[in-house]
Amino acid sequence: MCSPVQFSLFGFQVAPLGSSQIASVAAVALALFVSAPNPVSAADHYGLTPGPVELQSLGPITFAGKGVLLVGDPKAATVYAIAIAPDASATTNAAANPKDAAKLEIADIRRAIGDAVRSNGSDITIGDLAVDPDSGTIIVSAEGKGRRHLSRIRHDGTVQMINLSKVEHARKQLPNPPADKLTGEGRRQKNLRLESITDIAFFDGKVMVSGISADESPSNVMEFSFPFSDNSVVTNVQIYHAAHGRVEEPAIRTFIPMTIDGLPTLLAGFTCTPLVRFPIDSLGGKDTVRGTTVAELGNWNSPIDLIAYEKDGQTNLLMSNTARGVMKISTDQIQNAPGLTERVGGGGTAGQAFETIDAFDGVTQMDKFSDSQAIAIIGKEGETQKLVVMDLP
């Protein structure tokens, strides 16, 4: 005679059952298994497919959510969406538990990446830095001996290379980029293709890209849906450059989209160094849009990164620069600022109030790590550069 069957179902102990009862329970279990929703991977959600990604140049990078990294490749005039597995050493959500990475510091990030790719640190050039706000995954792009790399900086201080030879990804080719060739004469020669992508962001379900096109009015902001589609909205933009006292169409160097007083707004930094406000609703692609110059932050300088954060009930901007340190810029009344319309000469400043943060001296690349911290690379190209987590000022 057989003994009654005992088993557990979904972790609960089930009392002895007869054969008919077992059949009924099995049927219910099978129905639950079949009907239970399966988790959707980032690749499935965004339509990514496996294959090689061969980056031709280092451009801006940022996360789009669900572990997907957006990578700008200016020389190829292409934006890639690449699935990045979360950092296994980040055992908790970094945004909720910033102290988990508060001690993260790599004294020589070029050497650390060089070791990971079996190269000398002196051969490595750092590109950009991005943090996934959901998982705390940190990615640094770099170049060495003609090859471009993406490195995962783990919270335990080690470096892992992303295998780009077979990675789930999608790509978006930009419309009408400049020709890939040198133009101009003498010391003013440059390849405008390398400015086809100057910054990139993900906002309200869309990818936003700034750069230069082959249009008669070259400076533009592009918007396209994500997952990628064939549609693109390209809006040419211009500004009143207070340091020069005239209307110009320079390339945006860095920008941040954010909602201010309920209005979707793009704040953009330009070389020499105006900060300009654009209503995102005005970027419809039909007409050239002139932004409102809300600040002039000094000449002989170009902005690198721009982040926003809340502290003491105030929204602040933090901008790293090539020559003028890291600026903490007030957003007080920035949506209502009438804008500068007169020349600001002699390297002077005007508009939104700001202060230079001495504690961030030497910071080049940076990104927001948590509500109270930033992660930054300190040191100029060619020098010893360190990666460190810092408290937001």
Side-chain angles (χ1 to χ4, degrees), residues 18-353:
S19 59
S20 61
Q21 292 172 304
I22 293 173
S24 298
V25 171
V28 172
L30 177 62
L32 287 172
F33 177 80
V34 171
S35 63
N38 294 319
V40 178
S41 68
D44 293 335
H45 185 79
Y46 290 127
L48 310 185
T49 56
V53 171
E54 297 182 4
L55 299 174
Q56 298 181 33
S57 61
L58 294 178
I61 62 177
T62 193
F63 275 92
K66 291 187 177 293
V68 172
L69 182 71
L70 298 174
V71 179
D73 185 344
K75 188 171 178 63
T78 298
V79 175
Y80 292 93
I82 299 175
I84 303 292
D87 176 11
S89 72
T91 55
T92 55
N93 186 315
N97 299 277
K99 291 182 180 180
D100 290 346
K103 296 181 180 180
L104 173 60
E105 181 173 332
I106 299 178
D108 190 340
I109 184 63
R110 295 171 64 211
R111 179 178 177 180
I113 293 175
D115 289 345
V117 298
R118 299 180 181 179
S119 181
N120 293 324
S122 58
D123 296 327
I124 300 297
T125 299
I126 300 298
D128 200 6
L129 165 71
V131 178
D132 185 343
D134 296 326
S135 68
T137 298
I138 304 161
I139 299 294
V140 173
S141 63
E143 181 176 9
K145 294 185 176 180
R147 299 190 64 184
R148 270 64 57 185
H149 308 281
L150 296 177
S151 307
R152 179 190 288 107
I153 311 301
R154 304 178 75 222
H155 289 203
D156 61 10
T158 58
V159 176
Q160 291 180 332
M161 307 311 297
I162 305 300
N163 182 6
L164 295 179
S165 64
K166 188 176 182 181
V167 64
E168 292 176 328
H169 72 282
R171 69 185 70 200
K172 170 70 175 180
Q173 186 76 33
L174 301 187
N176 198 28
D180 187 8
K181 64 179 183 180
L182 288 173
T183 59
E185 297 182 357
R187 294 168 57 184
R188 292 185 176 274
Q189 273 196 335
K190 63 192 315 186
N191 185 349
L192 291 176
R193 171 63 73 87
L194 299 181
E195 298 184 32
S196 65
I197 303 173
T198 56
D199 205 1
I200 188 169
F202 185 71
F203 181 73
D204 196 23
K206 296 180 181 179
V207 178
M208 304 185 73
V209 177
S210 62
I212 290 289
S213 71
D215 294 338
E216 183 177 347
S217 300
S219 181
N220 63 69
V221 176
M222 291 164 275
E223 298 179 68
F224 40 88
S225 61
F226 190 62
F228 297 148
S229 67
D230 293 334
N231 295 331
S232 300
V233 176
V234 182
T235 305
N236 299 116
V237 296
Q238 61 181 209
I239 65 169
Y240 177 78
H241 196 156
H244 298 165
R246 61 175 181 259
V247 174
E248 296 178 351
E249 296 175 340
I252 294 171
R253 293 301 165 187
T254 184
F255 71 88
I256 183 168
M258 55 191 299
T259 300
I260 305 175
D261 295 337
L263 299 175
T265 302
L266 187 146
L267 296 174
F270 296 77
T271 296
C272 196
T273 314
L275 181 66
V276 182
R277 182 187 75 223
F278 295 90
I280 289 179
D281 290 346
S282 71
L283 305 177
K286 296 180 180 179
D287 303 306
T288 296
V289 175
R290 184 181 301 178
T292 301
T293 304
V294 295
E296 174 55 58
L297 303 172
N299 61 1
W300 298 100
N301 178 57
S302 188
I304 303 171
D305 278 326
L306 188 62
I307 63 177
Y309 65 99
E310 302 283 336
K311 189 167 185 177
D312 299 329
Q314 300 292 323
T315 301
N316 305 289
L317 303 173
L318 206 62
M319 178 187 284
S320 59
N321 299 280
T322 58
R324 289 183 174 264
V326 174
M327 301 172 178
K328 180 180 178 181
I329 306 167
S330 169
T331 63
D332 185 41
Q333 295 297 311
I334 198 169
Q335 195 64 272
N336 301 317
L340 303 176
T341 57
E342 301 292 334
R343 186 173 185 271
V344 179
T349 63
Q352 291 297 121

Side-chain angles (χ1 to χ4, degrees), residues 348-391:
T349 63
Q352 291 297 121
F354 74 96
E355 59 178 313
T356 302
I357 306 301
D358 293 338
F360 277 63
D361 185 47
V363 166
T364 51
Q365 301 295 339
M366 65 180 182
D367 200 4
K368 185 178 176 181
F369 182 76
S370 70
D371 290 342
S372 60
Q373 293 178 315
I375 189 164
I377 293 175
I378 301 175
K380 296 181 179 180
E381 182 179 336
E383 301 176 349
T384 298
Q385 295 174 295
K386 71 176 180 178
L387 181 143
V388 63
V389 174
M390 309 175 72
D391 291 335

